[in-house]
Amino acid sequence: VPLAEKGRDLSTSKGCVACHTADGSPRVGPTWKGVFGSEREMTDGRKVTADENYIRKSIMDPHAELVKGFAPTMPVFKGLLSDEETNALIAYIKSLK
């Protein structure tokens, strides 16, 4: 099974889809469509590129850097996802152009 496909399945089983979409529409959290490689504005005004490191940090410690316009409601997944699961989610997010 391709890594991105595993990531898609994990996004459902881990509940990510309750707050994030793959189709461009925002929910409680930002959409994942087109996010990889894009510039994101943080609540403090800084701009960061949504690369693999940014996405990994956002999954593990989502309150470290908040995207402007979104509340700090995402649970911390540090210790709840394996490296393989995290890599699969990143691969899925990267595939959503």
Side-chain angles (χ1 to χ4, degrees), residues 15-84:
C16 310
V17 295
C19 298
H20 299 281
T21 68
D23 67 5
S25 59
R27 282 203 181 132
V28 173
T31 184
W32 287 348
K33 182 179 183 179
V35 76
F36 189 80
S38 71
E39 187 175 80
R40 314 298 291 164
E41 185 176 354
M42 302 296 106
T43 53
D44 65 6
R46 286 179 308 113
K47 296 191 191 292
V48 299
T49 300
D51 59 10
E52 289 184 17
N53 290 330
Y54 168 80
I55 293 171
R56 183 178 314 281
K57 186 175 183 180
S58 294
I59 294 169
M60 294 299 141
D61 186 11
H63 306 148
E65 295 183 308
L66 289 173
V67 175
K68 186 176 185 174
F70 293 94
T73 56
M74 184 169 156
V76 174
F77 280 90
K78 186 174 187 168
L80 300 178
L81 295 174
S82 69
D83 286 343
E84 184 182 342

